Amino acid sequence: MIQTPFYLIDRAKLARNMEIMDKLRQASGAKVLLALKCFATWPVFDQMAQHMDGTTSSSLYELRLGREKFGRETHAYSVAWSDHEIAEAVSYADKIIFNSIGQLERFDNQSAQIERGLRLNPRFSTSGFDLADPARPFSRLGEWDANKIERVMDQISGFMIHYNCENADFGLFDTQLSRIEDEFGPLLKRLKWVSLGGGIHFTGIGYPVDKLAARLRAFQDRFGVQVYLEPGEAAITNCASLEVTVLDVLNNGKDLAIVDASVEAHMLDLLIYRLSGKIETDGPHPWMVCGKSCLAGDIFGEFNFAHPLKVGDRLSIADAAGYTMVKKNWFNGVKMPSIVVRELDGSLTLKREFGYADYESSLG
Ligand SMILES: Cc1ncc(COP(=O)(O)O)c(C=O)c1O
Ligand SMILES: NCCCCNCC[C@H](N)C(=O)O
């Protein structure tokens, strides 16, 4: 028995998402790059690299991880590169995407030997969260003025346009892509490739993958470009859980269970976006499942169980892959969950355990 807490990545569930990835790639001609900002747990890259074309990054370290652990096509993007990073970044990357014209011009000489792109901000998005809206007022994420971009077109061969966020609505995707075609068509015609970023929820149940594929192919044909997508969440959705054990129960007006993990430290995205965790359970006993950090609001959520919870019960908190393992931290010095993989034959492999030495070395 592997000691909780641990993140459990399920290769069979990953295989289902990867099947859709293949279907989309084949039907559309688009290439798909894993967005490492969402998921960078490299022990399962062997499986993902068979179905995805490479990785894209948001920093030098993600870029290097993508090059060394995933391989294939490696895109480098950063909101801003430092002078001391650029040579190393170029050495790992097949393409480098600059966030601004200022950075493109500043690093023109150092990046000239690889393909360069620019982030285009279309000034609209599908984000329902202000915090994650790349098109929010005064957004620093990309350039939007076609006249200014026109002046650097000779230096670039592609655009990266990230403007979707958990978008499960194909109609909305279609409409917004048409808007991009109308507003930036003359520039798009002069490019070799266009990345439409991440945020399209095409592995969700019922998503019309065929329609998306046809729409991407039409875009490619119209502008004569290679389309890329940068799925993070869509690649990994529903493939992992956080496995925890109940350490204590009490009733302070509600039945409360305290588990051996922490939302703040191990599923931070839930707190940031004020969302509840998910536990697949049903029954007549409502319980609040709480984390063990000192934060008063360290709460995974309220769930209805078939039986009252007791010390020693194992719970499985679903959807613990995207924006989860990449954000884990050492708050309160709470033991960091191990990383475990459920192999295709059902056996469990312990990939990494964290201990006091990791905590200590993270601070000095
Ligand atoms: C530039 C870029 N590409 C890809 C992604 C991945 O998005 P998602 O995980 O929603 O698919 C993001 C998310 O922040 C992004 O900013
Ligand atoms: N699940 C809660 C919302 C998460 C939003 N994801 C943020 C990252 C996203 N790719 C972005 O565009 O910022």
Side-chain angles (χ1 to χ4, degrees):
M1 275 278 276
I2 297 172
Q3 176 70 56
T4 62
F6 59 88
Y7 297 104
L8 178 60
I9 307 171
D10 190 320
R11 283 195 192 267
K13 292 182 178 166
L14 189 55
R16 180 217 165 250
N17 287 359
M18 293 299 111
E19 232 174 75
I20 297 173
M21 211 59 81
D22 277 337
K23 183 175 166 192
L24 181 64
R25 289 161 76 213
Q26 278 151 22
S28 67
K31 294 187 178 182
V32 293
L33 307 175
L34 175 65
L36 294 175
K37 70 188 72 193
C38 172
F39 183 79
T41 311
W42 51 267
V44 291
F45 282 1
D46 57 340
Q47 185 177 354
M48 301 179 89
Q50 294 172 41
H51 309 277
M52 301 184 76
D53 297 279
T55 56
T56 189
S57 49
S58 29
S59 68
L60 182 62
Y61 290 169
E62 276 189 2
L63 168 62
R64 178 172 173 182
L65 191 87
R67 165 59 71 204
E68 292 183 356
K69 300 286 189 193
F70 200 105
R72 310 201 65 187
E73 187 162 340
T74 307
H75 285 201
Y77 167 74
S78 169
V79 169
W81 298 102
S82 305
D83 287 3
H84 66 268
E85 291 180 323
I86 198 74
E88 194 181 344
V90 168
S91 78
Y92 300 131
D94 294 298
K95 293 183 175 66
I96 188 162
I97 295 139
F98 291 103
N99 184 66
S100 70
I101 292 172
Q103 284 250 311
L104 172 66
E105 290 180 333
R106 180 179 180 78
F107 298 119
D108 184 25
N109 285 340
Q110 290 105 307
S111 61
Q113 73 267 34
I114 59 171
E115 286 198 54
R116 277 96 56 96
L118 184 66
R119 180 165 183 168
L120 173 71
N121 187 331
R123 293 211 281 177
F124 51 82
S125 82
T126 69
S127 182
F129 300 97
D130 178 49
L131 181 65
D133 182 0
R136 59 192 271 151
F138 314 112
S139 172
R140 73 198 185 295
L141 301 173
E143 298 278 359
W144 52 265
D145 183 335
N147 292 324
K148 275 164 70 183
I149 297 170
E150 166 73 44
R151 294 199 284 273
V152 295
M153 286 302 285
D154 289 346
Q155 284 160 265
I156 60 173
S157 58
F159 280 159
M160 186 272 276
I161 320 170
H162 172 71
Y163 61 105
N164 287 282
C165 182
E166 297 185 353
N167 181 10
D169 178 349
F170 170 73
L172 179 59
F173 172 78
D174 182 24
T175 307
Q176 291 200 334
L177 189 58
S178 298
R179 239 177 112 179
I180 289 174
E181 291 176 320
D182 291 346
E183 292 177 25
F184 298 99
L187 296 178
L188 295 171
K189 281 207 168 102
R190 295 169 61 184
L191 297 169
K192 282 171 37 186
W193 55 274
V194 174
S195 171
L196 295 173
I200 309 169
H201 199 53
F202 60 86
T203 51
I205 309 275
Y207 191 92
V209 177
D210 295 338
K211 284 188 184 168
L212 176 64
R215 184 66 181 89
L216 296 176
R217 193 170 277 288
F219 180 88
Q220 291 198 137
D221 292 346
R222 177 168 175 197
F223 296 102
V225 292
Q226 171 65 56
V227 163
Y228 289 86
L229 296 181
E230 302 179 359
E233 202 57 76
I236 200 70
T237 193
N238 286 322
C239 291
S241 55
L242 177 61
E243 300 293 314
V244 300
T245 299
V246 175
L247 300 179
D248 194 15
V249 293
L250 61 160
N251 186 306
N252 282 344
K254 280 186 177 178
D255 283 320
L256 311 174
I258 299 172
V259 302
D260 56 357
S262 154
V263 184
E264 169 92 14
H266 310 141
M267 290 191 84
L268 182 59
D269 221 39
L270 294 179
L271 273 193
I272 293 176
Y273 291 100
R274 298 186 175 277
L275 298 168
S276 171
K278 295 176 210 154
I279 296 181
E280 273 183 39
T281 175
D282 201 14
H285 300 281
W287 280 71
M288 186 182 278
V289 175
C290 311
K292 67 175 281 179
S293 85
C294 66
L295 185 75
D298 192 339
I299 295 163
F300 284 97
E302 294 191 45
F303 310 95
N304 295 318
F305 292 93
H307 306 284
L309 293 182
K310 57 183 190 320
V311 171
D313 281 351
R314 251 292 279 282
L315 302 179
S316 183
I317 300 160
D319 221 359
Y323 301 101
T324 300
M325 284 171 247
V326 288
K327 292 193 178 189
K328 63 188 161 53
N329 62 68
W330 282 110
F331 182 59
N332 269 210
V334 179
K335 184 174 160 56
M336 197 170 266
S338 304
I339 296 174
V340 176
V341 173
R342 179 178 284 129
E343 307 291 351
L344 291 173
D345 64 6
S347 63
L348 300 186
T349 309
L350 176 61
K351 294 288 183 184
R352 178 76 156 93
E353 215 176 346
F354 301 93
Y356 175 73
D358 298 300
Y359 170 59
E360 185 195 23
S361 66
S362 75
L363 290 168

